[in-house]
């Protein structure tokens, strides 16, 4: 006759095989079968850096703490999971061998007292964290969860809760029955056990088995559920962080060569590494919370984008594997990825500000698939009229204003003696001025001041005059890769003929692409500086001296392409300090800076259905500070955007927008 | 449906235009030549007709600076054949251009010839009706809509005030396009570059360019500003105040 | 040698178009120097009334020395094939010194083809004639003028408005009308199927006393509302130039210019409009034109009474505010 323990072993084995089988099958489908459809990725180098990343960002849960309390909660759930996984292992092995030894303990681990204590403590911490998480999801319900699969999240939290509770009950009852040699190390379990201490031994055995089966059952159910939806990140988080992109943030990956097609129109045209990102999304919504497009009421949410891409990948993978005669296959193919699943307005809404990529605890890249899909739209000519005009002008005249190249240096006319022509004579600093600073009639006085400041500092500088073209940063981000290449060719050609030591730019967008995306000039890569960095250097070395202390109370807006993308936060602040101004920081500053809304080519597009312009939201934030009267920026497009926003929000009497150079100029 | 589109390149009005030392022609030193905007619409209309009803589109242009880019861009939009006519087209008038086009168009035996209704540097009529005269085909200009039938075409001809005349014309015919049914589509630079590698431009040679029929210019000059407006200066606030004053004077406020 | 100047009168839906009068004025100028007559050529069907209607209030007749009427059912409405055939026969027979056509949807369908067919020289975009009988034409969006001797033996000329006022081509005397035989018109390759009326918009801008008009400088559809607010404050209406209508930012009924409407408001405020001839054609009857454009060389400043180089975006809301203030709103 079969004893209970023999049955137990058989059932555990069966459960393990079924659950394990389902789990492995699903993982195979998702990771291997689907990812195999994707394009090549890599090569992956710098393994030291990568492994360090896993330690800091996975083990250390580093980015999670950016939202402090939920981050701390997740830290405990994560570590609890790791530490308590050994108890799961114990439970499984124990079950499998129970026909021979019902009280089997794992070697070493089973007798490690300190581990037992840690497990007990973490069980409680996890329960507390889970209760907190449930409160957040069910009662607080913050906006970042809008669109996330809340019921799935709640279910998994309930699973975890049950797993922990059943573990404590099982342990507690076992202690009551005297079956635990490490019972002194399990104070919590002991306390839980006391609840049942009144029951008879036989009853407690039954409770123990019920707790055991609950524990194992929920664990195995969770295992099968894991690959579905957002909890798959449990499996993919380590590879995602390990294989994260180590290129400079400001370097967009080149377009994959898809037999002549540029840009992505169906999900299998993404690189498999991008597909891994789609699976890794935990639907936490932190990206959505920091996205300026989402905040302004546009249809883009980086989180929802990832979820849609993930769902589409599953659908498409299944469809491609099924026979073509299957009617569901037709239906999937009728819904195009670009257009139906992800609408064009979602794709055009992105300002490429990098807040989402930076916020994501698992280094998911949201901008890269958006640009890939934009590349497809551009090739298809599915571009709005305003953007079309801007691109046509950039192609024909090298600037989005539609003005002749000969007018580029018109702003220099009043300057005597004339600014050096870098095409004709060697200079130390080649000043790449940029479109907005050259052509926009309202901005040229700032450009003139910049020249005056450079002169005062005794800099040997020159400009490219008519040979300069738009550097192409936003052209690339809009998806016009061919036009970007053409601009790079023209600018590189002009630069190669010049003799200079350093490039200095007025515009952070120009700065970003020249620094990160342009090929090296000849054999060496010469430094590229934003003028804030240059001014900082000049002030530190005493070449630029101020005659007065301005004494203004100012606030500073970190431009996306200077700050988040290239890490330049302190240089402009030192410059502000040097001019004798008092800096009052806005709540969203440094890497939390809130985009003005002009990037990603959006300054060339029609606004769309916007509820609150990002620039207006930012101005209101500055006004709320109360004391700051000057809003300092370090980008010509910011000057334009924020001056408009000050007007449209009616804050002309409270706030004045000034470029950093204007402060420096005034303090000379 | 065999559609031929003839295009020409004209001065880009973005640049400053000056007269050369001869006093009777534009200074070409800084002159940028771009596709005649109306010819661009003609290309778009031709491509639309092909997309709707099938057939082939051939684009023909004189060989002057910038023509390759114009032709490859047309190919990227969907044109099937590209032809450039070699010859000395500097200073050549529309009569000569039309005659040069005539030789090539006759060879192509099209059902429909499209071209822009006018160009900014026309002084001796427009290429479209001149070409129609040479080919002895009917011509209708100011077209903003074309549909094709058996041996004929129904077109929308624009009159002032938004009035439209629906007319039928027997094919083959020449149409002068005012506006394509949708604005000229965008073509990505990479597509044009791809065309440069995969498409070829056929060449023909113009056997002499006969300018008879055009006027002789004795003087060319920049338009005088004439009676200049009274300019208002100052800050937006100041200008606005002055304008309100003017409105009051004129009795509208 | 025949020194007469023939003018091909244009009419549409029973109305003689304004360019016809402008041409008659130009023809008179030319004829004076040459010692010839001004002959109006009127193709139509039962169209005698077009020579001028004394009871129509204006009492204006075609200011021609004589009118040649060519009457045929196929000529009732303009079609290029029929008109071309008739004019070819007439010009070949009469051999006048010059034939004037409008630089319009009607005239340009005819002149160039006749030039080739008859082997006669032509000049287009002619704005006026100089005292010594030279043609003066405009090119390149009105930025360049070209002058030259009138080619011979018969010069075919298309004329644009701007050089003469319509009144100069109108007379209080009814001209003599001579019927001319029309050649047989069969196998016409172009036929009229019908007319499509313009979409009757909410407003007829031709009747509005104040127009706030926007051009390319408005940059995008979202900014039109700024013009609407200003127009509302001033008690006027918004109109636009071709680029704005082509982009779909304003309805076709709001188009001012050659293909759109000719307007005659008290005040025409042109914002971000360069002033290309096709647009200016539609606004010459305005009482006062005020132009705002950041380009000091914009041709609009040549027809405007007041102007400013200020950026329209810097100005517009401030102006709207001040207008509202002055109205006490």
């Amino acid at each position: 006759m079969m004893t209970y323990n023999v049955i137990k072993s058989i059932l555990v084995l069966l459960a393990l095989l079924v659950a394990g089988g389902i789990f492995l099958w699903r993982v195979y489908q998702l990771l291997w079968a689907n990812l195999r459809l994707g394009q090549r990725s890599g090569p992956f180098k710098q393994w030291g850096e990568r492994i360090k990343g896993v330690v800091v960002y996975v083990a250390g849960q580093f980015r999670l703490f950016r939202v402090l309390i939920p981050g701390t909660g997740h830290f405990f759930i994560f570590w609890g999971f790791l530490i308590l996984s050994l108890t799961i292992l114990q439970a499984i092995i124990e079950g499998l061998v129970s026909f021979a030894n019902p009280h089997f303990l794992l070697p070493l681990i089973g007798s490690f007292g300190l581990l037992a204590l840690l497990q007990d403590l973490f069980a409680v911490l996890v329960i507390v964290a889970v209760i907190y998480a449930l409160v957040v999801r069910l009662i607080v319900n913050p906006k970042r969860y809008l669109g996330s699969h809340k019921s799935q999240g709640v279910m998994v939290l309930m699973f975890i809760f049950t797993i922990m509770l059943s573990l404590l009950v099982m342990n507690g009852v076992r202690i009551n029955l005297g079956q635990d040699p490490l019972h002194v190390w399990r104070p919590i379990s002991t306390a839980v056990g006391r609840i049942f201490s009144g029951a008879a031994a036989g009853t407690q055995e039954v409770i123990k088995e019920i707790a055991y089966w609950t524990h194992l059952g929920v664990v195995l159910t969770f295992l099968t559920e894991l690959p579905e939806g957002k909890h798959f990140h449990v499996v993919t988080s380590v590879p995602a962080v390990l294989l994260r992109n180590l290129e400079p943030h400001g370097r967009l990956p080149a377009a994959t060569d898809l037999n002549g097609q540029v840009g992505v129109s169906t999900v299998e045209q993404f690189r498999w590494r991008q597909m891994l990102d789609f699976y890794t999304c935990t639907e936490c919504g932190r990206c959505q919370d920091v996205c300026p497009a989402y905040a302004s009421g546009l249809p883009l949410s980086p989180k929802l984008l990832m979820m849609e891409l993930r769902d589409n990948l599953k659908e498409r993978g299944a469809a491609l594997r099924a026979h073509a005669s299957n009617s569901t296959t037709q239906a999937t193919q009728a819904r195009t990825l670009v257009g139906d699943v992800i609408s064009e307005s979602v794709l055009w809404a992105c300002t490429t500000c990098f807040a989402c990529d930076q916020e994501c605890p698992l280094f998911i890249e949201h901008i890269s698939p958006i640009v890939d899909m934009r590349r497809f739209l551009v090739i298809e000519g599915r571009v709005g009229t305003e953007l079309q005009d801007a691109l046509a002008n950039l192609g024909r005249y090298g600037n989005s204003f539609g003005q002749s190249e000969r007018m580029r240096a018109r702003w220099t006319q009043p300057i005597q003696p004339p600014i050096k022509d870098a095409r004709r004579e060697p200079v130390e600093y080649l000043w790449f001025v940029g479109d907005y600073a050259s052509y926009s009639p309202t901005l040229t006085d700032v450009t003139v001041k910049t020249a005056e400041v450079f002169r005062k500092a005794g800099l040997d500088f020159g400009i490219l005059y008519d040979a300069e073209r738009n550097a192409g940063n936003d052209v690339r981000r809009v998806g016009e890769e061919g036009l970007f290449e053409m601009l790079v060719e023209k600018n590189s050609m002009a630069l190669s003929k010049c003799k200079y030591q350093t490039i200095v730019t007025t515009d952070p967008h120009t700065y970003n692409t020249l620094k990160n995306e342009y090929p090296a000039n000849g054999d060496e890569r010469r430094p590229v500086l934003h003028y804030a960095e240059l001014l900082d250097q000049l002030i530190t070395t005493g070449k630029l001296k101020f005659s007065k202390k301005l004494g203004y109370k100012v606030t500073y807006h970190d431009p996306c392409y200077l700050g988040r993308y290239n890490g330049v936060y302190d240089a402009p602040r030192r410059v502000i300090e040097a001019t004798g101004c008092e800096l009052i920081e806005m709540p969203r500053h440094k890497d939390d800076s809130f985009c003005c809304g002009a990037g990603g080519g959006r300054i060339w597009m029609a606004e769309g259905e916007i509820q609150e312009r990002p620039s207006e939201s930012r101005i209101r934030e500055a006004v709320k500070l109360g004391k700051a009267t000057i809003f300092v920026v370090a980008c010509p497009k910011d000057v334009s955007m924020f001056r408009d926003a000050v007007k449209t929000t009616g804050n002309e009497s409270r706030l004045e927008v000034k470029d950093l150079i204007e402060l420096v100029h005034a303090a000379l | 449906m065999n559609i031929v589109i003839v295009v020409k390149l004209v001065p880009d009005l973005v640049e400053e235009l000056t007269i050369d030392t001869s006093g009777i022609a534009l200074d070409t030193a800084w002159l940028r030549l771009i596709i005649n905007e109306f010819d661009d619409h003609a290309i778009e209309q031709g491509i639309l007709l092909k997309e709707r009803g099938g057939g082939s589109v051939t684009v023909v242009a004189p060989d002057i600076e910038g023509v390759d880019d114009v032709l490859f861009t047309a190919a990227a939009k969907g044109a099937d054949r590209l032809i450039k006519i070699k010859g000395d087209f500097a200073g050549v008038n529309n009569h000569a251009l039309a005659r040069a086009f005539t030789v090539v168009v006759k060879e192509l035996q099209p059902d429909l010839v499209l071209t822009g209704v006018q160009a900014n540097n026309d002084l001796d009529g427009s290429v479209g009706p001149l070409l129609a005269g040479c080919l002895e085909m009917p011509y209708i200009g100011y077209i903003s809509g074309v549909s094709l039938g058996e041996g004929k075409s129904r077109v929308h001809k624009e009159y002032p005030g938004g009035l439209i005349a629906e007319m039928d014309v027997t094919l083959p015919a020449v149409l002068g396009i005012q506006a394509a049914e949708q604005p000229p589509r965008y073509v990505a630079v990479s597509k044009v570059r791809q065309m440069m590698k995969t498409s070829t431009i056929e060449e023909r040679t113009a056997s002499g360019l006969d300018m008879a029929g055009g006027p002789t210019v004795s003087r060319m000059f920049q338009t005088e500003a004439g009676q200049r407006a009274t300019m208002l200066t100052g800050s937006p606030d100041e200008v606005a105040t002055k304008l309100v004053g003017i409105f009051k004077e004129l009795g509208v406020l | 040698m025949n020194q007469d100047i023939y003018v091909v009168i244009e009419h549409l839906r029973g109305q003689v178009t304004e360019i016809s009068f402008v041409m008659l004025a130009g023809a008179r100028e030319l004829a004076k120097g040459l010692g010839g007559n001004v002959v109006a050529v009127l193709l139509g069907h039962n169209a005698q009334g077009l020579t001028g209607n004394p009871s129509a209030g204006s009492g204006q007749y075609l200011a021609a020395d004589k009118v040649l009427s060519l009457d045929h059912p196929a000529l009732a409405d303009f079609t290029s094939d029929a008109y071309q055939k008739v004019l070819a026969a007439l010009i070949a027979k009469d051999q006048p010194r010059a034939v004037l056509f409008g630089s319009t949807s009607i005239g340009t369908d005819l002149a160039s083809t006749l030039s080739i067919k008859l082997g006669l020289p032509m000049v287009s975009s002619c704005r006026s004639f100089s005292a010594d009988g030279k043609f003066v034409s405009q090119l390149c969006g009105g930025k360049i003028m070209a002058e030259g001797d009138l080619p011979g033996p018969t010069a075919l000329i298309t004329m644009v408005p701007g050089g003469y006022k319509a009144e100069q081509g109108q007379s209080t005397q009814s001209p003599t009308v001579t019927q001319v035989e029309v050649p047989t018109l069969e196998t016409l390759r172009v036929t009229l199927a019908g007319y499509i009326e313009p979409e009757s918009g909410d407003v007829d801008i031709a009747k509005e006393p104040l127009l706030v008009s926007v051009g390319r400088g408005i940059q995008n559809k979202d900014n039109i509302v700024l013009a609407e607010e200003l127009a509302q404050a001033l008690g006027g209406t918004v109109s636009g130039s071709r680029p704005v209508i082509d982009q779909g930012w304003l309805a076709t009924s709001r188009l001012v210019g050659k293909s759109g409407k000719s307007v005659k408001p008290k005040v025409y405020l042109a914002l971000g409009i360069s002033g290309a001839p096709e647009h200016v054609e539609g606004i010459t009857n305005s009482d006062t034109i005020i132009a705002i454009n950041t380009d000091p060389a914009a041709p609009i400043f040549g027809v405007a009474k007041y102007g400013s180089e200020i950026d329209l975006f810097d100005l517009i809301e401030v102006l709207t505010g001040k207008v509202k203030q002055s109205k006490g709103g």
Side-chain angles (χ1 to χ4, degrees), chain A residues 259-262 378-383 385 387-388 391-392 395-397 402-407 466 480-483 485-486 489, chain B residues 12-18 29-36 40 69-70 76-77 183-191 193-194 236:
Chain A
N259 288 331
Q261 175 174 326
V262 173
V378 165
I379 289 285
E380 293 288 292
R382 283 151 72 174
V383 165
T385 42
L387 181 56
Q388 179 168 332
L391 290 173
R396 187 178 276 170
Y397 305 109
Q403 292 188 39
S404 165
E405 301 96 314
R406 295 198 280 149
M407 296 289 118
D466 302 348
E480 236 292 18
E481 198 70 4
L483 180 56
E485 280 167 18
M486 194 174 94
E489 274 166 30
Chain B
D12 186 352
L13 301 183
V14 156
E15 301 289 349
E16 205 184 307
L17 302 169
T18 51
W30 291 111
L31 208 61
R32 185 211 309 272
L33 294 171
I34 56 173
I35 187 174
N36 173 19
D40 206 16
D69 191 65
V70 165
K77 292 184 183 183
R185 64 196 63 188
Y186 183 72
V187 189
V189 169
S190 56
K191 252 190 159 174
R193 288 186 152 188
Q194 202 185 19

Side-chain angles (χ1 to χ4, degrees), chain C residues 42-254:
Chain C
L42 187 57
L43 277 68
H45 185 50
N46 297 331
Q48 293 84 316
L50 293 175
T51 54
N53 191 342
S55 60
S58 55
Q60 302 300 355
Y61 292 99
L62 302 173
D65 296 315
K66 68 176 187 225
V67 175
L68 298 178
S69 168
L70 294 96
D71 194 306
H72 190 289
L75 301 176
D77 293 279
F78 172 75
T79 53
S80 56
D81 211 20
Y83 272 54
Q84 196 215 99
K85 287 190 159 103
V86 169
L87 286 169
L90 180 70
I91 296 169
K93 182 167 119 301
D94 290 4
Q95 296 182 1
R97 181 64 185 87
V99 184
L100 306 187
F101 302 81
S103 181
T104 63
S105 194
I106 290 175
T108 57
D109 270 15
L110 302 168
S112 302
T113 321
L114 287 169
S115 167
I116 295 287
K117 191 160 171 159
L118 300 171
L120 295 172
M122 81 167 283
V123 182
S124 51
S125 294
C126 176
R127 202 169 173 275
S128 62
F129 300 101
S130 66
D132 52 348
K134 288 197 165 67
F135 69 82
V136 182
S137 288
Q138 72 186 21
L139 307 173
C140 298
K143 291 184 175 182
I144 301 286
M145 304 297 280
E147 205 180 75
D149 290 321
L150 204 66
T154 301
L156 304 177
I157 305 173
T158 64
M159 286 202 72
V160 294
Y164 304 98
K165 288 203 181 303
E167 296 87 74
Q168 295 169 279
Q170 291 165 341
S171 125
T172 46
Q173 285 176 301
S174 166
T176 45
V177 181
T178 312
Q179 293 293 335
V180 176
E181 205 183 300
V182 175
T184 21
L185 291 172
E186 46 197 36
T187 58
L188 290 172
R189 297 171 298 178
V190 179
T191 49
L192 176 70
Y195 288 104
I196 301 174
E197 296 293 333
E199 35 178 274
S200 62
D202 37 346
V203 216
D204 182 2
I205 52 172
K207 300 205 168 80
E208 289 288 312
L210 189 142
L211 290 170
V212 174
S213 204
V214 294
R216 233 187 202 124
I218 201 75
Q219 282 173 20
N220 63 50
K221 192 177 190 168
D222 301 324
N223 294 330
I224 300 275
V225 68
L226 298 168
E228 282 168 357
E229 277 164 11
L230 177 58
Q232 199 174 48
L234 284 166
T237 309
V238 172
S239 59
S241 62
R242 184 106 201 192
V244 170
I245 274 71
D246 274 352
Q247 296 276 36
W249 300 342
L250 282 176
T252 327
S253 56
R254 304 296 180 110

